[in-house]
Amino acid sequence: MKFGLYFSGSKIIGAITGSLDVLIIGKFFSQGELGIYNIAKKLVFQVLSVIMPVIQKVIYPLFGKLQKNSQR
């Protein structure tokens, strides 16, 4: 039960903090500007969701090799 509450609370806090920028921008700017910001934000996340798996497949083995080399 404690784990479920912790997990749910973590997800709720993550959702609030993930949308906090939209709430702040919506308070100070018009709906049109907020819409443009929101579209740009979603576009960045879409690009990252495509690029990050490729980068991770390259970087993790590289970090493994560098970890064994103490001088690097």
Side-chain angles (χ1 to χ4, degrees):
M1 184 75 168
K2 288 182 182 180
F3 176 75
L5 289 174
Y6 175 76
F7 185 74
S8 297
S10 173
K11 287 292 188 176
I12 291 170
I13 291 172
I16 291 171
T17 58
S19 300
L20 193 60
D21 59 337
V22 174
L23 292 172
I24 292 171
I25 290 173
K27 178 75 175 170
F28 295 108
F29 294 100
S30 69
Q31 287 181 345
E33 292 168 331
L34 178 61
I36 291 170
Y37 172 78
N38 203 22
I39 290 172
K41 182 179 173 182
K42 286 183 180 184
L43 180 63
V44 167
F45 282 127
Q46 285 290 107
V47 170
L48 286 177
S49 71
V50 171
I51 293 174
M52 287 308 292
V54 175
I55 291 173
Q56 289 173 348
K57 285 183 181 179
V58 173
I59 292 294
Y60 286 150
L62 182 63
F63 283 160
K65 289 179 183 177
L66 291 176
Q67 185 178 8
K68 293 178 183 176
N69 189 347
S70 62
Q71 289 185 353
R72 283 192 172 184

